Amino acid sequence: MSVRIDITGLTPERIHVVPSPLAELGMALHALSEPAHHPGLQGWTTSVAACLDPCLADRMCEADFLWRTTFSDVFTPSAGIPGRRTLPGATLAEELDLLDKLSDEQFVDAALEFTCQSQYAERVVSRLDDPGTRERALELAAARGAPQVRFTQRLLEDPPAVRSWFRELLQDCDEAFFSDVWARVRHQLAADARHKTEVLRRKGLGEALAATSSAVALDEAGGAVVVDKISVGRTETGSGNLILTPTSLGWPHLWVLHRKGWQPMITYPIASPGLTTPPSVEQLTRRMSALAHPTRMRLCRHLARGAYTTSELADAHGMSAPEISRHLSVLKKAGLITTRRRGRYVQHQLDLSVVSRLGGDFIEGVLR
């Protein structure tokens, strides 16, 4: 499973590493609404929530589905500007001006992403003009609760009014807490962008992608960017840009914009001390599958306590050595056990450091 970006014909001058204040504001709003996703930001989310004006908090709740369960493309309006060559603005005001340049239809599509995941990559009809599609959007919104229904109705009936309301909300969030955040992180993000740009210039796109995340790489032919995620998507740069955007608030999320007609954009968390390199989705699946077998679970009980040979494990479990070897092979392929030779004996032991990270790796994998 992965999201693929076809970069056929993409030239180096059309690859940009650029911070985005509006995308970072979206990440900040997400962290406030889902603090469990971001334990490293617990102090900040707690202090902001405690000082937040109740009226602003209520207004944020009206639209929190734009950033709570998904990261709406309304936070990356530069990607939707015709020509697919526009870069994110240097200030929040510039990015809000870009948001105003999106058509009503683009804004509605992006804002209603929570109701139309299956149509994200390729929309066929206009939700503003087609009665059946409007009705379907309202039905899907109903499953998410009354606030989403009210918002969807307002949006479909009067997009300009909702856009104005949304812009004012973001400006008030900036005044209440985000301007301080941006003043603190923008230099760090700019430094990361300069570093990745230098890697891109000196070592090429493959190395630059690897520097953003171990989950992002060029395919073997060099014609596509592949992002390792528990989702499937496909888009292409065409004659447009490829944008890489660093975030200091986004970990563990790695977000890929692959909406049809918009320029591809990857928002990646900048490295933080103490973070381990997460396993690939394939490796995570292999580990979870390896531990799902009851015999291998019992073997892990032994191997967690010490190092044992195949013969010792066969005797302890009443199984043949070849049977034990097959189970050990699965565990070893999944990277869950280590093997060492002691004289003429080969001993196996559970890698407790890997197993102890499984829960966190799983959370990182599904949130990526």
Side-chain angles (χ1 to χ4, degrees), residues 140-199:
L140 292 170
R144 306 295 292 275
Q148 282 86 336
V149 173
R150 290 194 294 270
F151 181 87
T152 303
Q153 287 174 329
R154 289 168 53 204
L155 182 62
L156 292 173
E157 291 169 4
D158 192 354
V162 174
R163 296 177 67 162
S164 176
W165 175 88
F166 184 64
R167 175 169 180 144
E168 185 177 349
L169 171 64
L170 296 182
Q171 290 171 327
D172 289 345
C173 287
D174 181 48
E175 183 178 345
F177 60 86
F178 182 69
S179 59
D180 292 336
V181 174
W182 185 246
R184 175 170 52 85
V185 305
R186 65 188 179 92
H187 299 296
Q188 183 184 20
L189 296 178
D192 184 87
R194 286 194 298 271
H195 170 67
K196 300 298 191 298
T197 300
E198 186 65 13
V199 174

Side-chain angles (χ1 to χ4, degrees), residues 35-54:
H37 289 191
H38 306 272
L41 300 176
Q42 183 176 1
W44 176 77
T45 55
T46 301
S47 63
V48 170
C51 299
L52 207 57
D53 176 78

Side-chain angles (χ1 to χ4, degrees), residues 1-208:
M1 291 181 284
S2 63
V3 177
R4 296 179 63 88
I5 303 172
D6 186 334
I7 59 170
T8 302
L10 181 68
T11 55
E13 62 270 15
R14 290 195 280 120
I15 305 171
H16 303 274
V17 189
V18 190
S20 164
L22 183 53
E24 196 71 349
L25 173 52
M27 292 294 181
L29 289 167
H30 170 70
L32 287 170
S33 63
E34 288 288 359
H37 289 191
H38 306 272
L41 300 176
Q42 183 176 1
W44 176 77
T45 55
T46 301
S47 63
V48 170
C51 299
L52 207 57
D53 176 78
C55 292
L56 177 58
D58 288 342
R59 290 162 60 206
M60 287 165 58
C61 287
E62 289 184 54
D64 71 347
F65 47 85
L66 293 175
W67 55 77
R68 179 186 289 273
T69 59
T70 186
F71 187 64
S72 172
D73 292 342
V74 297
F75 291 103
T76 54
S78 60
I81 302 299
R84 301 199 290 179
R85 294 289 186 95
T86 304
L87 301 183
T91 66
L92 182 63
E94 289 179 19
E95 295 228 87
L96 292 177
D97 288 342
L98 291 176
L99 184 62
D100 288 342
K101 291 181 179 180
L102 296 182
S103 67
D104 284 346
E105 195 169 323
Q106 286 179 303
F107 183 84
V108 168
D109 280 348
L112 290 184
E113 184 180 324
F114 74 96
T115 71
C116 55
Q117 289 288 344
S118 63
Q119 299 179 18
Y120 173 80
E122 185 166 355
R123 183 181 52 79
V124 212
V125 294
S126 169
R127 292 181 180 83
L128 293 177
D129 301 328
D130 183 72
T133 306
R134 288 167 61 96
E135 188 62 31
R136 180 57 177 161
L138 289 169
E139 288 176 5
L140 292 170
R144 306 295 292 275
Q148 282 86 336
V149 173
R150 290 194 294 270
F151 181 87
T152 303
Q153 287 174 329
R154 289 168 53 204
L155 182 62
L156 292 173
E157 291 169 4
D158 192 354
V162 174
R163 296 177 67 162
S164 176
W165 175 88
F166 184 64
R167 175 169 180 144
E168 185 177 349
L169 171 64
L170 296 182
Q171 290 171 327
D172 289 345
C173 287
D174 181 48
E175 183 178 345
F177 60 86
F178 182 69
S179 59
D180 292 336
V181 174
W182 185 246
R184 175 170 52 85
V185 305
R186 65 188 179 92
H187 299 296
Q188 183 184 20
L189 296 178
D192 184 87
R194 286 194 298 271
H195 170 67
K196 300 298 191 298
T197 300
E198 186 65 13
V199 174
L200 176 66
R201 186 179 71 85
R202 291 180 175 273
K203 300 183 178 180
L205 180 56
E207 290 290 335

